[in-house]
Amino acid sequence: MELLVDSRQMRECDKNTIEHFGVPSLVLMERAALGVSEEIEKRLDRPIVGKQALLVCGLGNNGGDGLAIARLLWQKGMIVTVVMPPQLEKASKETKTQINILEKYQIPIINQIPEANYDLVVDALFGIGLSRELSGVFSEYVQKMNDSSGLKVSVDIPSGIHGDTGAVMGIGFQADVTVTFAFAKTGLLLFPGAEYAGIVIVKEIGIDWHSFLTEQPMFYRLTKEDLHKIPARKVRSNKGNYGKVLVAAGQKNMAGAAFFSAKAAYLTGAGLVKVMTAEENRIILQQNIPEAVLETYHAKDMEEKLVKCMDGAFVIAVGPGVGTGEATHLIKGVLSQAKVPVVLDADGLNIVSEHLDWLKNTKAEVIITPHLGEMARLVKQEISVIQENLIKTAQKFAKEYEVICVLKDARTIVALPDGRIWINTSGNNGMATAGSGDVLTGILAGLIAQGMEPALAAPTGVYLHGLAGDRQAEEKGKYGLMAQDILEGIPYVLKEINKEGKRHEIIQ
């Protein structure tokens, strides 16, 4: 698991490292500059001697990093052009020190970007502290850097990109590589910031988790090592060891929703999946997923069948393809009676958007999995507003209704009621296809059935879902990727987790 930070937490960690632990700010600056210059050398064609480098530096400590980078590249034999805005007297203390160092090396600083063919452009204009749109000379600098040739590298975060949300503030530097320090910033992972950042590299400079002191880290990203938290398969076991899932999905002519959720739960490792669905879906599901236990219903006996089906379930996945008419009774029944975790998706969310009190009154632990349109209905806001505030929207809803909110977008956000946030970076745009969300619902249910706590199953399931899509996109491409392909990718991802117990072998 990788820690992430927003701008405020990064400033606190920086301050704590300097003031509490006593690490001098200039030491951190020099280590940052060394890390960036090392990455630049890796990416420029050799030899770098004589190559042209443009470094545009601001007046804050981000600019100081840039000045130190300029010196290190100059000492390696590059021809450096260093540009800063003219108000040098407004520079930070550390940046003034770097200006003095360059003066002693007789490296000139100018305030206009010359026309030239650069091999390298380094953006050290603004860091994570930027909170207003770029204008005037700063906007001109960024535009000229974008128009320049050469490898484009940002220091910590591309100038013009909001450090928390990834929003473009007027204009943003379009980097090929962003070298950030200590922790990845949330604005580097969220769109559109992620597109401006290019390849993001996190460099150690002497700030780590100790610098949080007593503050709880709030932002996380899963890595492949976290898949090992999926419960191990026991050598001596049966289907009862891996849980029973109830999938309540699929009105007439919507058998696919039930199929994808049920199949995903099985492929993720659930021991038994019962599908409660409309009678008209019986033949299709029996043919396509004979492993599932079917309980079909008519409108008149839906509530009676639900009570029967919930008995013995470890987890309930409800909502995909159920419609928004008679299924209202189904959703209300699950939320009012369930004593096990519930994964609420699709039509279930649309129904709940008109009955939000059901979420507040339920005794079950609930995971909701809205896409942007469903979230807009839940919070009564425009999609564009939600896209600009993904983290805050999910975080606020999770806290207010005490649910786990999985807000699906190009970067899916998982928010827990206590405020913790996971940003998912697996997955690809080929997964923007019908049925993909139903697969995710089944994956989440399958993990919970096997004993994972919902708070861990939610980010893990989202990550697994994305990895399955990535695996299949590599093989089939993104244009033709379908939900069925994502299903097929699940076993390949899980196969990499060697969690089986030691085999019992009889040696002859």
Side-chain angles (χ1 to χ4, degrees), residues 117-155:
N117 291 320
Y118 297 106
D119 300 291
L120 170 70
V121 177
V122 176
D123 159 41
L125 194 56
F126 288 101
I128 59 173
L130 185 66
S131 58
R132 64 185 186 278
E133 286 198 356
L134 294 184
S135 60
V137 66
F138 303 113
S139 178
E140 293 174 10
Y141 281 166
V142 172
Q143 187 62 61
K144 287 186 177 181
M145 285 191 289
N146 283 340
D147 292 341
S148 296
S149 57
L151 174 70
K152 295 183 172 67
V153 177
S154 273
V155 178

Side-chain angles (χ1 to χ4, degrees), residues 38-313:
E38 287 174 347
E39 290 300 325
I40 288 170
E41 285 191 70
K42 290 178 185 177
R43 286 166 170 78
L44 283 178
D45 293 333
R46 300 290 182 132
I48 67 169
V49 174
K51 289 189 181 297
Q52 294 274 355
L54 169 66
L55 297 99
V56 182
C57 306
L59 300 173
N61 280 1
N62 191 257
D65 294 340
L67 295 174
I69 294 164
R71 167 173 38 90
L72 294 173
L73 296 177
W74 178 80
Q75 290 174 326
K76 293 283 188 178
M78 293 191 74
I79 301 169
V80 298
T81 299
V82 183
V83 177
M84 293 188 76
Q87 307 93 344
L88 297 186
E89 70 280 359
K90 296 181 179 180
S92 68
K93 176 183 176 182
E94 292 81 2
T95 298
K96 285 179 179 177
T97 298
Q98 295 292 351
I99 291 171
N100 292 333
I101 293 173
L102 260 62
E103 287 176 350
K104 291 177 180 178
Y105 277 106
Q106 298 183 0
I107 301 172
I109 298 174
I110 59 178
N111 56 38
Q112 294 293 327
I113 298 178
E115 296 291 335
N117 291 320
Y118 297 106
D119 300 291
L120 170 70
V121 177
V122 176
D123 159 41
L125 194 56
F126 288 101
I128 59 173
L130 185 66
S131 58
R132 64 185 186 278
E133 286 198 356
L134 294 184
S135 60
V137 66
F138 303 113
S139 178
E140 293 174 10
Y141 281 166
V142 172
Q143 187 62 61
K144 287 186 177 181
M145 285 191 289
N146 283 340
D147 292 341
S148 296
S149 57
L151 174 70
K152 295 183 172 67
V153 177
S154 273
V155 178
D156 207 21
I157 192 167
S159 292
I161 300 303
H162 196 285
D164 296 345
T165 68
V168 180
M169 293 182 285
I171 185 173
F173 179 68
Q174 192 76 59
D176 299 310
V177 179
T178 296
V179 182
T180 196
F181 310 122
F183 312 102
K185 317 306 183 288
T186 57
L188 292 172
L189 304 184
L190 299 174
F191 287 95
E195 292 180 294
Y196 282 78
I199 299 169
V200 176
I201 297 164
V202 180
K203 281 287 184 180
E204 299 280 353
I205 63 169
I207 300 174
D208 63 7
W209 63 269
H210 295 91
S211 296
F212 283 93
L213 297 182
T214 59
E215 183 176 356
Q216 169 72 39
M218 296 302 291
F219 302 98
Y220 305 87
R221 171 169 65 168
L222 294 189
T223 63
K224 285 191 176 180
E225 288 72 23
D226 292 297
L227 293 178
H228 290 283
K229 295 175 183 176
I230 294 175
R233 308 289 288 188
K234 300 176 181 178
V235 174
R236 188 178 186 181
S237 60
N238 56 62
K239 64 186 178 186
N241 294 104
Y242 306 116
K244 177 182 175 182
V245 175
L246 170 60
V247 173
Q251 63 175 331
K252 180 181 178 181
N253 297 328
M254 292 293 288
F259 166 76
F260 288 124
S261 293
K263 187 70 176 283
Y266 264 132
L267 290 173
T268 307
L272 179 68
V273 179
K274 175 177 280 191
V275 180
M276 180 179 169
T277 190
E279 172 63 33
E280 292 84 356
N281 297 331
R282 176 185 294 277
I283 294 175
I284 295 174
L285 292 175
Q286 285 179 329
Q287 289 175 338
N288 287 278
I289 184 166
E291 300 90 345
V293 177
L294 284 185
E295 184 70 55
T296 61
Y297 63 84
H298 298 282
K300 61 183 180 181
D301 63 1
M302 178 192 295
E303 295 179 65
E304 178 186 341
K305 292 288 183 72
L306 176 62
V307 172
K308 175 183 176 182
C309 289
M310 286 198 299
D311 184 40

Side-chain angles (χ1 to χ4, degrees), residues 168 181 335 398 403 408 419 424:
V168 180
F181 310 122
L335 292 176
V403 298
K408 298 181 290 194
N424 184 63

Side-chain angles (χ1 to χ4, degrees), residues 408-424:
K408 298 181 290 194
D409 194 26
R411 290 286 191 256
T412 292
I413 306 299
V414 178
L416 301 189
D418 63 8
R420 283 180 292 165
I421 296 289
W422 276 262
I423 300 177
N424 184 63

